[in-house]
Amino acid sequence: RSLNVISRNVERIGRTYLHEMNTVTSLNNLNAAITTYMNDWVQNRAISKCEVIVYADEYDDTLVHIILNIRFAGTIEIISVEINID
């Protein structure tokens, strides 16, 4: 359930930057917004580790990839979630 909530909210954050994703600055702002959101989960101790990767598609200017590498508290496995915003 937590993974679904995180995925939906990160996708909503990504959609707010949908029309600005052509520049490096916009991608950095998106990365910062997602990192801030994920830090709330880390501080609540629901997640012990989270890595956020945001990059534009090299062939399509309107597509952005968001990768979340998440480790939930009490587990040793890292879950990788890829979200595509177009």
Side-chain angles (χ1 to χ4, degrees), residues 3 5-11 31 34-35 37-38 47 49-54 65-71 78-83:
L3 192 57
V5 170
I6 291 170
S7 296
R8 273 190 308 238
N9 289 336
V10 167
E11 186 174 351
N31 192 348
I34 294 171
T35 301
Y37 171 73
M38 294 306 297
I47 293 175
K49 178 186 175 190
C50 181
E51 178 185 14
V52 178
I53 303 168
V54 177
H65 303 281
I66 301 168
I67 298 175
L68 302 173
N69 295 320
I70 301 169
R71 181 174 33 189
I78 295 177
I79 299 170
S80 184
V81 179
E82 182 173 354
I83 301 169

Side-chain angles (χ1 to χ4, degrees), residues 30-50:
L30 175 58
N31 192 348
I34 294 171
T35 301
T36 301
Y37 171 73
M38 294 306 297
N39 281 339
D40 291 340
W41 285 85
V42 172
Q43 289 181 0
N44 289 338
R45 296 192 175 134
I47 293 175
S48 59
K49 178 186 175 190
C50 181

Side-chain angles (χ1 to χ4, degrees), residues 14-42:
R15 294 226 178 263
T16 62
Y17 289 87
L18 184 61
H19 300 292
E20 302 178 15
M21 294 193 180
N22 297 349
T23 65
V24 174
T25 303
S26 296
L27 292 174
N28 288 338
N29 291 340
L30 175 58
N31 192 348
I34 294 171
T35 301
T36 301
Y37 171 73
M38 294 306 297
N39 281 339
D40 291 340
W41 285 85
V42 172

